[in-house]
Each structure stands twice: as C-alpha cells, then as structure tokens.
Amino acid sequence: MPQANAKLNAFPVFVRVEGETVAIVGAGAEALAKARLIGQSSAVLRIIAENAEPELLAFIAQSGASHVTAAYDASQLEGAVMVFAASGDEALDRRVAADARGLGIPVNAVDRPELCDFFTPALVNRAPVAIAIGTEGAGPVLAQMLRGRIDQMLSPSLGSLATLAASLRGAAEKLLPKGNARRRFWNSFFQGAPAYAVEAGQLSQAHDAAVDLLLSNAPPLGHIALVGAGPGAEDLLTLRAHRLLMEADVIVHDALVPEAVVAMGRRDAERLPVGKRKGCHSKSQAEINALLVELGQQGKRVVRLKSGDPLVFGRAGEEMAALRDAGIAYEVVPGVTAAFAAAADFELPLTLRGVSSSMVFTTGHDLKGNSLPDWAKLAISGATVAIYMGRSVAAEVAGRLIEAGLSPDTAVAVVENASLANRRRFHGTLADLPSLEARGDLSGPVMTIIGDAVAGANFERSEPLAAHRNEGAAKAAAERVQP
C-alpha cells in the first residue's frame, strides 16, 4: 500500500519549448533516443556530436535538427532551455552537467540520476494532450509499461477533440456563465455528439455539433452503455468497457459483478446494485428497465454492467427494447462470456478439428420441459455444450442426455468462479455429473462444459468429480429413508 504521506522528490511540470533550443550532447543510441523524444515537440533541436553514428545522422537529416560537428565545448550549450548529457561517457557527461549548471540551464544525464536536475518521462502523446509518467529515474521500464497501458486506453482522436475544444473555449466563456452550465457543456462536449463525430473522423460535423451544443439551452442527452463485465477477473475487461466506466455518472451493476470491477469506474459515480441471484432478486427486470429509462431521461451517462457478455443470458434484449421505445440512446459493449473463461481455465479447445466443429451455449433449466430441446440433439451429434447456471439441475441434465443417447462416458469439465484466483476445477464424465448437485461447498457461479472436445483439456489442476459421486449417492439414500 502507498504511504499516505509519501512525497515526490521530482515535481512534474510542462516546460514551454516552442521555438526554444534543446541541446543534446552525444553521438550514439542514448542521444538518438532523447532526440526522438524531444522531436515530438516544437523545440529547436541542437545535437552536439563530432562523430555521430549513422542512425543519428539519418535522424538529423530527416528532422532538420541543427548538428554541431565540433568537439564538445561549453559554449555550444548557450541559449538552450534544457540540456541532455547523452554521450555514454561518464567523464564527459559530468562535464556537460557541470557546464549546464554553470550557465543556469537544467540538465538531464542519461542513466545518471545523481547528475539530473530533471527526469524525462515516458510520454503518451495526443498533442495537445500529453500524459507524462515518471519514476524519478528509479524504474524506466515500469514507466514504459504504464505508458503502454495508458496509450491503449485513450482514443487516437483525443488530440483532435482537444484542439476543437481549444478553438471554442473563448466562445464558451463568453456565452455560458461560470459554474454548472459551463461544466455541463464541456461534459457533453467531451462525452457526447462532438466526441463521437471526432472519433468517426467527421471533423466538420463535430464542429457543428459543438456549436449547436453551445447555443442550445436543452438539457444534456442521456446515454446507456450495456457493458459486459467479463467472467470476474478485472483484467479481462475490455478497453472500451473501462473507458466507459471512467466516464459514467451512474453504474447499474449485477450481483455477480465483482466489486473490483465496479471499483474501476469513476470514483464519484453513483453505484446502483440491481443484481439478481438465484432465489434473491433485488429488482425485477421491469424495474431495471424503468430505472435505465429514467436515468437516460435525466441526461445521465450510464453503464449497465452485466456479468460476462450482455447478450448471453443477460436479458439485454428486454433492456434495449425499453430504451428504444423511450428514445434513449444506447450502445452494447461485448464482454468475455463465462464459457470462454472456463475453457481457458482448463486449456480446453471448445472446437477441435475432427472431433467437434460446433458449440452450444445454454442453461440447464432448458431441460425441465417435457420435450428434449434441440440443443440436446446437437450434443449427441458431437457439439460442445456449455451449460450456464446448471449446478442445481446437474442430475437432470445428465439423466436426460444419457436417456436421449449421449454416452455416459462423454467428457465433462466444471469450473466454479471461472477466471478468478479462487476458481475450482473438476473433471469427469457425464455419469459423474449428478454428484455436482449435492456439492453444498460450491457457492460461486458454476459453468459446465460437455463434449468429446473436453477430453483435450488439461486436468492437472482439477479434481475428479467421481471422488464425490459416492458421497452424493449416500446423501440421497439417507434422505429417502428419513421418516
């Protein structure tokens, strides 16, 4: 845990370098790396290298940087706003650092933190937006790892959107009173129609939408995102889902969505649990539909967070129909469904050449009717079947499938809490499956996968279902003889 009173030894600032000189002393890879970094700015580069290596010479020719080909001298630093000592030679770097300080110029010595007045960050560039990650020289590799993660999270169009915002700032300050009205405009600008148009590459439409927004007194339009939270592990959330969570005013989430995933949302977002667990429904589906419509009509940006994928047993169809009928804008963001996570936990191929070329996603409750559902016929013909929420009807699933002609020796894989650190894996055959129903120790969501392709899974970290087969039979027998 970070210390509450931890203090930075290097405070991050942005230095204005437009038209200013930045001097780099060095002829090799270290100098080239710094030149490429500073080359992302509008600074005037001065590279001091008597015998520059070919790659650095190529960069100088391509970028138009100034090249000083004489041996290093302190006078070559004059007029610069910052200096980089990047020669790879410790004695020369120390000399450059001392000369720069003598001239009152801040200096950075590559890989020599004790000589640095400042540190160069790992940079996420969406000019004019820039995100700098620094570690005070302690962990450059860590900074690059963080840069990669942040870079993936941000839309490539963010810079264009920021540029458009800058062009409208004066008008917004003139036309809108300071406070809620102005804040509401900018929220709608960065999260509404102008942002969508910029992301689609429609810059003129984005400008028109922004002007309409600026001149309109209408309340902001609501937007609902039906988002798949994945099977449980927070790092299986999609980048788009994470971005929407960070933008949401309200997060409406199911009971099976872990708190760690909900916590990835904006800190000040309202969180509304509406989860439905077996035998315990906090809200009916009609109430959830009405809630989403109400929030949309209030102009809220809402993430409706559903376990797994919203379109797989997530009742998204009913929610989309309600939103369409009410004229509320919405989108669907797919998530990793539990069947895929369970298969990954077992290293199990859901399709296997020459064995199985089709899949079925279903719930065990489909077998409660009088007739055998069509998917059961597919299972008999070789399809891999993934059964959601099937623990309590495991015996009925096994019995009906065996009765219909599926071999009792058909391979079965079962995962509780797929993708999570506390997941439990079990394997066996269709004949072993009834033992699952008597397992009171399984409190998490259970996924069952049945089919010949399951035989190709890795069972090294799983328990055999057969070990509990006799326990279940004994329990059932005891219950039958009780008065």
Side-chain angles (χ1 to χ4, degrees):
M1 292 289 291
Q3 297 180 14
N5 60 349
K7 295 185 181 294
L8 293 169
N9 293 320
F11 190 81
V13 296
F14 287 89
V15 178
R16 189 179 296 278
V17 294
E18 182 180 6
E20 301 288 354
T21 297
V22 173
I24 300 174
V25 180
E30 295 90 346
L32 177 60
K34 294 303 180 186
R36 285 173 172 162
L37 178 65
I38 302 302
Q40 296 182 57
S41 74
S42 56
V44 177
L45 265 177
R46 180 190 300 164
I47 298 176
I48 302 160
E50 185 177 14
N51 298 298
E53 293 181 2
E55 282 191 273
L56 182 57
L57 287 173
F59 173 86
I60 292 169
Q62 183 181 17
S63 65
S66 171
H67 184 193
V68 178
T69 57
Y72 168 74
D73 183 83
S75 62
Q76 297 159 348
L77 306 181
E78 293 178 0
V81 295
M82 64 176 70
V83 169
F84 289 91
S87 70
D89 181 300
E90 183 177 359
L92 179 54
D93 285 348
R94 288 186 177 277
R95 181 182 164 198
V96 171
D99 291 342
R101 290 196 184 94
L103 293 167
I105 307 170
V107 62
N108 172 279
V110 177
D111 293 333
R112 307 187 201 284
E114 74 280 3
L115 298 180
C116 293
D117 296 324
F118 66 92
F119 301 97
T120 52
L123 187 64
V124 179
N125 185 357
R126 297 288 191 277
V129 177
I131 297 174
I133 304 109
T135 61
E136 298 182 7
V141 173
L142 173 61
Q144 290 296 335
M145 289 170 59
L146 295 174
R147 185 201 68 78
R149 293 181 187 179
I150 294 171
D151 191 51
Q152 290 180 328
M153 291 169 54
L154 300 180
S155 169
S157 64
L158 183 60
S160 298
L161 185 63
T163 299
L164 178 58
S167 72
L168 295 167
R169 183 174 176 180
E173 291 177 353
K174 181 178 179 180
L175 295 174
L176 300 174
K178 189 175 182 180
N180 288 337
R182 195 180 297 174
R183 189 180 306 111
R184 191 163 52 245
F185 163 74
W186 286 119
N187 283 339
S188 298
F189 175 90
F190 285 114
Q191 300 178 15
Y196 295 140
V198 169
E199 190 148 10
Q202 301 168 340
L203 298 183
S204 61
Q205 290 92 326
H207 181 272
D208 293 344
V211 171
D212 289 344
L213 189 62
L214 186 61
L215 299 177
S216 171
N217 290 320
L221 298 175
H223 181 270
I224 314 295
L226 307 180
V227 174
E234 58 265 35
D235 55 355
L236 286 179
L237 202 69
T238 66
L239 295 173
R240 184 181 298 178
H242 191 194
R243 189 158 66 225
L244 287 168
L245 278 170
M246 293 299 294
E247 296 172 354
D249 302 311
V250 184
I251 301 170
V252 180
H253 62 92
D254 283 345
L256 288 177
V257 177
E259 175 57 30
V261 174
V262 179
M264 295 174 77
R266 212 174 73 197
R267 186 178 301 174
D268 59 343
E270 185 179 4
R271 289 160 168 76
L272 301 178
V274 296
K276 298 189 287 293
R277 285 185 182 270
K278 185 176 180 181
C280 181
H281 291 192
S282 64
K283 282 188 181 294
S284 69
Q285 188 59 51
E287 289 174 324
I288 294 172
N289 296 348
L291 174 63
L292 295 178
V293 169
E294 180 184 356
L295 292 170
Q297 290 172 338
Q298 292 174 1
K300 303 287 189 181
R301 295 187 61 81
V302 180
V303 165
R304 171 68 173 107
L305 200 56
K306 294 171 173 287
S307 181
D309 183 280
L311 303 178
V312 179
F313 305 118
R315 304 189 74 169
E318 298 167 56
E319 294 173 10
M320 289 188 289
L323 294 169
R324 277 197 300 268
D325 291 344
I328 306 296
Y330 68 87
E331 65 177 297
V332 180
V333 179
V336 176
T337 190
F340 294 153
D345 286 341
F346 260 108
E347 302 168 26
L348 186 164
L350 289 170
T351 60
L352 190 62
R353 183 178 297 183
V355 176
S356 177
S357 60
S358 57
M359 296 181 294
V360 175
F361 292 173
T362 187
T363 68
H365 306 286
D366 287 347
L367 280 170
K368 285 196 168 183
N370 294 324
S371 61
L372 201 65
D374 290 339
W375 66 257
K377 300 171 186 174
L378 293 173
I380 295 167
S381 66
T384 303
V385 178
I387 302 177
Y388 293 67
M389 303 166 285
R391 186 186 71 81
S392 62
V393 291
E396 188 168 2
V397 167
R400 294 289 299 278
L401 288 177
I402 291 172
E403 182 183 348
L406 192 61
S407 171
D409 294 327
T410 303
V412 170
V414 177
V415 183
E416 177 197 27
N417 295 322
S419 82
L420 295 175
N422 64 340
R423 62 184 174 267
R424 298 173 68 187
R425 288 161 280 209
F426 306 92
H427 68 276
T429 66
L430 193 58
D432 301 323
L433 192 58
S435 66
L436 196 64
E437 196 167 326
R439 295 289 298 273
D441 59 322
L442 299 180
S443 58
V446 171
M447 171 64 62
T448 303
I449 304 177
I450 302 170
D452 292 334
V454 175
N458 181 351
F459 298 124
E460 290 181 2
R461 294 183 296 276
S462 70
E463 305 172 37
L465 284 168
H468 298 270
R469 190 172 176 179
N470 294 332
E471 294 176 16
K475 181 178 179 181
E479 290 174 351
R480 284 196 295 270
V481 299
Q482 284 179 355

